[in-house]
mmCIF file of all heavy atoms in Angstrom:
data_model
loop_
_atom_site.group_PDB
_atom_site.id
_atom_site.type_symbol
_atom_site.label_atom_id
_atom_site.label_comp_id
_atom_site.label_asym_id
_atom_site.label_seq_id
_atom_site.Cartn_x
_atom_site.Cartn_y
_atom_site.Cartn_z
ATOM 1 N N GLN A 1 0.827 -1.209 0.000
ATOM 2 C CA GLN A 1 0.000 0.000 0.000
ATOM 3 C C GLN A 1 0.863 1.261 0.000
ATOM 4 O O GLN A 1 0.500 2.261 -0.626
ATOM 5 C CB GLN A 1 -0.941 -0.007 1.205
ATOM 6 C CG GLN A 1 -2.046 -1.053 1.089
ATOM 7 C CD GLN A 1 -3.037 -0.994 2.239
ATOM 8 O OE1 GLN A 1 -2.942 -0.143 3.119
ATOM 9 N NE2 GLN A 1 -3.993 -1.911 2.232
ATOM 10 N N LEU A 2 1.992 1.221 0.682
ATOM 11 C CA LEU A 2 2.924 2.351 0.611
ATOM 12 C C LEU A 2 3.398 2.547 -0.821
ATOM 13 O O LEU A 2 3.446 3.685 -1.322
ATOM 14 C CB LEU A 2 4.120 2.114 1.530
ATOM 15 C CG LEU A 2 5.278 3.117 1.401
ATOM 16 C CD1 LEU A 2 4.827 4.523 1.789
ATOM 17 C CD2 LEU A 2 6.467 2.684 2.253
ATOM 18 N N LEU A 3 3.742 1.467 -1.492
ATOM 19 C CA LEU A 3 4.203 1.553 -2.878
ATOM 20 C C LEU A 3 3.132 2.173 -3.767
ATOM 21 O O LEU A 3 3.418 3.061 -4.584
ATOM 22 C CB LEU A 3 4.572 0.163 -3.386
ATOM 23 C CG LEU A 3 5.006 0.053 -4.852
ATOM 24 C CD1 LEU A 3 6.245 0.909 -5.117
ATOM 25 C CD2 LEU A 3 5.283 -1.405 -5.216
ATOM 26 N N VAL A 4 1.905 1.737 -3.615
ATOM 27 C CA VAL A 4 0.796 2.294 -4.392
ATOM 28 C C VAL A 4 0.652 3.787 -4.116
ATOM 29 O O VAL A 4 0.523 4.599 -5.040
ATOM 30 C CB VAL A 4 -0.527 1.570 -4.066
ATOM 31 C CG1 VAL A 4 -1.717 2.313 -4.686
ATOM 32 C CG2 VAL A 4 -0.493 0.138 -4.572
ATOM 33 N N ALA A 5 0.695 4.169 -2.851
ATOM 34 C CA ALA A 5 0.530 5.580 -2.473
ATOM 35 C C ALA A 5 1.651 6.440 -3.041
ATOM 36 O O ALA A 5 1.404 7.560 -3.510
ATOM 37 C CB ALA A 5 0.481 5.707 -0.951
ATOM 38 N N VAL A 6 2.876 5.927 -3.023
ATOM 39 C CA VAL A 6 4.006 6.703 -3.547
ATOM 40 C C VAL A 6 3.885 6.855 -5.059
ATOM 41 O O VAL A 6 4.146 7.928 -5.612
ATOM 42 C CB VAL A 6 5.351 6.057 -3.160
ATOM 43 C CG1 VAL A 6 6.504 6.832 -3.782
ATOM 44 C CG2 VAL A 6 5.513 6.016 -1.652
ATOM 45 N N VAL A 7 3.493 5.799 -5.744
ATOM 46 C CA VAL A 7 3.295 5.883 -7.198
ATOM 47 C C VAL A 7 2.220 6.923 -7.517
ATOM 48 O O VAL A 7 2.374 7.750 -8.421
ATOM 49 C CB VAL A 7 2.908 4.507 -7.782
ATOM 50 C CG1 VAL A 7 2.433 4.654 -9.229
ATOM 51 C CG2 VAL A 7 4.090 3.548 -7.714
ATOM 52 N N LEU A 8 1.140 6.921 -6.761
ATOM 53 C CA LEU A 8 0.056 7.880 -6.995
ATOM 54 C C LEU A 8 0.469 9.312 -6.666
ATOM 55 O O LEU A 8 -0.049 10.261 -7.252
ATOM 56 C CB LEU A 8 -1.161 7.499 -6.150
ATOM 57 C CG LEU A 8 -1.936 6.254 -6.566
ATOM 58 C CD1 LEU A 8 -3.010 5.931 -5.533
ATOM 59 C CD2 LEU A 8 -2.569 6.431 -7.941
ATOM 60 N N SER A 9 1.409 9.463 -5.742
ATOM 61 C CA SER A 9 1.766 10.803 -5.265
ATOM 62 C C SER A 9 2.632 11.601 -6.224
ATOM 63 O O SER A 9 2.859 12.795 -6.003
ATOM 64 C CB SER A 9 2.486 10.706 -3.907
ATOM 65 O OG SER A 9 3.787 10.164 -4.058
ATOM 66 N N ALA A 10 3.109 10.978 -7.293
ATOM 67 C CA ALA A 10 3.940 11.696 -8.257
ATOM 68 C C ALA A 10 3.171 12.890 -8.820
ATOM 69 O O ALA A 10 2.072 12.729 -9.354
ATOM 70 C CB ALA A 10 4.371 10.760 -9.391
ATOM 71 N N GLN A 11 3.734 14.084 -8.656
ATOM 72 C CA GLN A 11 3.129 15.335 -9.117
ATOM 73 C C GLN A 11 1.724 15.522 -8.548
ATOM 74 O O GLN A 11 0.821 16.024 -9.215
ATOM 75 C CB GLN A 11 3.116 15.400 -10.647
ATOM 76 C CG GLN A 11 4.520 15.343 -11.241
ATOM 77 C CD GLN A 11 4.530 15.562 -12.734
ATOM 78 O OE1 GLN A 11 3.869 16.460 -13.246
ATOM 79 N NE2 GLN A 11 5.285 14.740 -13.436
ATOM 80 N N CYS A 12 1.561 15.105 -7.298
ATOM 81 C CA CYS A 12 0.280 15.252 -6.617
ATOM 82 C C CYS A 12 0.567 15.371 -5.125
ATOM 83 O O CYS A 12 1.598 14.899 -4.640
ATOM 84 C CB CYS A 12 -0.595 14.024 -6.890
ATOM 85 S SG CYS A 12 -2.350 14.266 -6.540
ATOM 86 N N THR A 13 -0.314 15.988 -4.372
ATOM 87 C CA THR A 13 -0.061 16.200 -2.952
ATOM 88 C C THR A 13 -0.394 14.952 -2.127
ATOM 89 O O THR A 13 -1.291 14.175 -2.479
ATOM 90 C CB THR A 13 -0.899 17.370 -2.412
ATOM 91 O OG1 THR A 13 -2.298 17.025 -2.468
ATOM 92 C CG2 THR A 13 -0.648 18.634 -3.230
ATOM 93 N N ASP A 14 0.318 14.793 -1.013
ATOM 94 C CA ASP A 14 0.020 13.687 -0.109
ATOM 95 C C ASP A 14 -1.399 13.806 0.435
ATOM 96 O O ASP A 14 -2.073 12.796 0.681
ATOM 97 C CB ASP A 14 1.012 13.674 1.054
ATOM 98 C CG ASP A 14 2.397 13.195 0.636
ATOM 99 O OD1 ASP A 14 2.588 12.891 -0.554
ATOM 100 O OD2 ASP A 14 3.293 13.129 1.498
ATOM 101 N N LYS A 15 -1.862 15.029 0.648
ATOM 102 C CA LYS A 15 -3.219 15.244 1.149
ATOM 103 C C LYS A 15 -4.246 14.662 0.198
ATOM 104 O O LYS A 15 -5.206 14.001 0.626
ATOM 105 C CB LYS A 15 -3.470 16.746 1.334
ATOM 106 C CG LYS A 15 -4.838 17.071 1.921
ATOM 107 C CD LYS A 15 -5.001 18.575 2.124
ATOM 108 C CE LYS A 15 -6.376 18.915 2.699
ATOM 109 N NZ LYS A 15 -6.539 20.386 2.899
ATOM 110 N N ARG A 16 -4.060 14.870 -1.087
ATOM 111 C CA ARG A 16 -4.977 14.329 -2.083
ATOM 112 C C ARG A 16 -4.922 12.804 -2.086
ATOM 113 O O ARG A 16 -5.948 12.118 -2.153
ATOM 114 C CB ARG A 16 -4.625 14.903 -3.460
ATOM 115 C CG ARG A 16 -5.233 14.182 -4.681
ATOM 116 C CD ARG A 16 -6.706 13.973 -4.607
ATOM 117 N NE ARG A 16 -7.447 15.175 -4.282
ATOM 118 C CZ ARG A 16 -8.751 15.209 -3.996
ATOM 119 N NH1 ARG A 16 -9.453 14.091 -3.983
ATOM 120 N NH2 ARG A 16 -9.345 16.351 -3.722
ATOM 121 N N ILE A 17 -3.708 12.248 -2.003
ATOM 122 C CA ILE A 17 -3.566 10.790 -2.014
ATOM 123 C C ILE A 17 -4.222 10.182 -0.784
ATOM 124 O O ILE A 17 -4.928 9.163 -0.880
ATOM 125 C CB ILE A 17 -2.077 10.393 -2.078
ATOM 126 C CG1 ILE A 17 -1.419 11.012 -3.316
ATOM 127 C CG2 ILE A 17 -1.940 8.876 -2.102
ATOM 128 C CD1 ILE A 17 -2.131 10.736 -4.621
ATOM 129 N N ASN A 18 -4.018 10.785 0.376
ATOM 130 C CA ASN A 18 -4.624 10.266 1.607
ATOM 131 C C ASN A 18 -6.145 10.352 1.581
ATOM 132 O O ASN A 18 -6.824 9.627 2.321
ATOM 133 C CB ASN A 18 -4.087 11.023 2.821
ATOM 134 C CG ASN A 18 -2.642 10.677 3.127
ATOM 135 O OD1 ASN A 18 -2.141 9.626 2.742
ATOM 136 N ND2 ASN A 18 -1.966 11.580 3.827
ATOM 137 N N ALA A 19 -6.682 11.230 0.747
ATOM 138 C CA ALA A 19 -8.137 11.369 0.647
ATOM 139 C C ALA A 19 -8.758 10.240 -0.173
ATOM 140 O O ALA A 19 -9.923 9.879 0.050
ATOM 141 C CB ALA A 19 -8.494 12.720 0.022
ATOM 142 N N ILE A 20 -7.988 9.678 -1.097
ATOM 143 C CA ILE A 20 -8.563 8.653 -1.976
ATOM 144 C C ILE A 20 -8.157 7.221 -1.618
ATOM 145 O O ILE A 20 -8.884 6.273 -1.926
ATOM 146 C CB ILE A 20 -8.206 8.917 -3.452
ATOM 147 C CG1 ILE A 20 -6.711 8.702 -3.691
ATOM 148 C CG2 ILE A 20 -8.638 10.308 -3.893
ATOM 149 C CD1 ILE A 20 -6.341 8.625 -5.154
ATOM 150 N N THR A 21 -7.000 7.045 -0.985
ATOM 151 C CA THR A 21 -6.522 5.680 -0.758
ATOM 152 C C THR A 21 -7.389 4.849 0.191
ATOM 153 O O THR A 21 -7.450 3.624 0.026
ATOM 154 C CB THR A 21 -5.061 5.668 -0.268
ATOM 155 O OG1 THR A 21 -4.888 6.603 0.813
ATOM 156 C CG2 THR A 21 -4.119 6.013 -1.409
ATOM 157 N N PRO A 22 -8.086 5.429 1.189
ATOM 158 C CA PRO A 22 -8.959 4.569 2.000
ATOM 159 C C PRO A 22 -9.997 3.831 1.168
ATOM 160 O O PRO A 22 -10.276 2.641 1.412
ATOM 161 C CB PRO A 22 -9.615 5.554 2.980
ATOM 162 C CG PRO A 22 -8.611 6.650 3.120
ATOM 163 C CD PRO A 22 -8.029 6.798 1.743
ATOM 164 N N PHE A 23 -10.583 4.496 0.185
ATOM 165 C CA PHE A 23 -11.575 3.869 -0.685
ATOM 166 C C PHE A 23 -10.911 2.880 -1.636
ATOM 167 O O PHE A 23 -11.444 1.798 -1.900
ATOM 168 C CB PHE A 23 -12.330 4.947 -1.473
ATOM 169 C CG PHE A 23 -12.952 5.998 -0.604
ATOM 170 C CD1 PHE A 23 -12.326 7.227 -0.402
ATOM 171 C CD2 PHE A 23 -14.161 5.769 0.040
ATOM 172 C CE1 PHE A 23 -12.903 8.196 0.408
ATOM 173 C CE2 PHE A 23 -14.736 6.740 0.850
ATOM 174 C CZ PHE A 23 -14.103 7.955 1.038
ATOM 175 N N LEU A 24 -9.739 3.260 -2.132
ATOM 176 C CA LEU A 24 -9.005 2.382 -3.046
ATOM 177 C C LEU A 24 -8.570 1.102 -2.345
ATOM 178 O O LEU A 24 -8.778 -0.010 -2.859
ATOM 179 C CB LEU A 24 -7.779 3.129 -3.588
ATOM 180 C CG LEU A 24 -6.865 2.355 -4.542
ATOM 181 C CD1 LEU A 24 -7.587 2.057 -5.844
ATOM 182 C CD2 LEU A 24 -5.592 3.160 -4.812
ATOM 183 N N PHE A 25 -7.988 1.244 -1.145
ATOM 184 C CA PHE A 25 -7.466 0.080 -0.434
ATOM 185 C C PHE A 25 -8.575 -0.789 0.155
ATOM 186 O O PHE A 25 -8.342 -1.963 0.456
ATOM 187 C CB PHE A 25 -6.507 0.525 0.664
ATOM 188 C CG PHE A 25 -5.230 1.135 0.144
ATOM 189 C CD1 PHE A 25 -4.549 2.090 0.888
ATOM 190 C CD2 PHE A 25 -4.720 0.776 -1.097
ATOM 191 C CE1 PHE A 25 -3.374 2.651 0.418
ATOM 192 C CE2 PHE A 25 -3.555 1.342 -1.585
ATOM 193 C CZ PHE A 25 -2.875 2.280 -0.828
ATOM 194 N N LYS A 26 -9.756 -0.233 0.327
ATOM 195 C CA LYS A 26 -10.878 -1.036 0.811
ATOM 196 C C LYS A 26 -11.238 -2.112 -0.208
ATOM 197 O O LYS A 26 -11.512 -3.263 0.143
ATOM 198 C CB LYS A 26 -12.094 -0.153 1.080
ATOM 199 C CG LYS A 26 -13.312 -0.930 1.583
ATOM 200 C CD LYS A 26 -14.490 -0.003 1.823
ATOM 201 C CE LYS A 26 -15.705 -0.797 2.286
ATOM 202 N NZ LYS A 26 -16.898 0.095 2.507
ATOM 203 N N ASP A 27 -11.214 -1.739 -1.493
ATOM 204 C CA ASP A 27 -11.577 -2.691 -2.549
ATOM 205 C C ASP A 27 -10.370 -3.385 -3.160
ATOM 206 O O ASP A 27 -10.493 -4.484 -3.716
ATOM 207 C CB ASP A 27 -12.364 -1.972 -3.645
ATOM 208 C CG ASP A 27 -13.758 -1.556 -3.190
ATOM 209 O OD1 ASP A 27 -14.215 -2.061 -2.145
ATOM 210 O OD2 ASP A 27 -14.376 -0.714 -3.864
ATOM 211 N N PHE A 28 -9.193 -2.741 -3.053
ATOM 212 C CA PHE A 28 -7.971 -3.327 -3.601
ATOM 213 C C PHE A 28 -6.870 -3.259 -2.532
ATOM 214 O O PHE A 28 -5.991 -2.405 -2.587
ATOM 215 C CB PHE A 28 -7.529 -2.587 -4.864
ATOM 216 C CG PHE A 28 -8.579 -2.519 -5.936
ATOM 217 C CD1 PHE A 28 -9.309 -1.347 -6.138
ATOM 218 C CD2 PHE A 28 -8.863 -3.613 -6.726
ATOM 219 C CE1 PHE A 28 -10.287 -1.278 -7.117
ATOM 220 C CE2 PHE A 28 -9.838 -3.555 -7.716
ATOM 221 C CZ PHE A 28 -10.553 -2.397 -7.914
ATOM 222 N N PRO A 29 -6.907 -4.158 -1.558
ATOM 223 C CA PRO A 29 -5.974 -4.058 -0.429
ATOM 224 C C PRO A 29 -4.571 -4.581 -0.700
ATOM 225 O O PRO A 29 -3.640 -4.259 0.038
ATOM 226 C CB PRO A 29 -6.653 -4.911 0.647
ATOM 227 C CG PRO A 29 -7.409 -5.937 -0.140
ATOM 228 C CD PRO A 29 -7.908 -5.221 -1.358
ATOM 229 N N ASP A 30 -4.417 -5.389 -1.754
ATOM 230 C CA ASP A 30 -3.115 -6.015 -1.989
ATOM 231 C C ASP A 30 -2.847 -6.179 -3.478
ATOM 232 O O ASP A 30 -3.685 -5.858 -4.323
ATOM 233 C CB ASP A 30 -3.046 -7.375 -1.282
ATOM 234 C CG ASP A 30 -4.259 -8.253 -1.599
ATOM 235 O OD1 ASP A 30 -4.821 -8.120 -2.708
ATOM 236 O OD2 ASP A 30 -4.644 -9.064 -0.738
ATOM 237 N N ALA A 31 -1.663 -6.690 -3.771
ATOM 238 C CA ALA A 31 -1.260 -6.840 -5.174
ATOM 239 C C ALA A 31 -2.168 -7.810 -5.923
ATOM 240 O O ALA A 31 -2.490 -7.606 -7.101
ATOM 241 C CB ALA A 31 0.192 -7.315 -5.239
#
């Protein structure tokens, strides 16, 4: 999940990533 968050954070704020990852990780928790 850290890897996913870091990939998503490229040219984007951590605040934005933290806003979407709870929903993303709920349905896609692992590789």
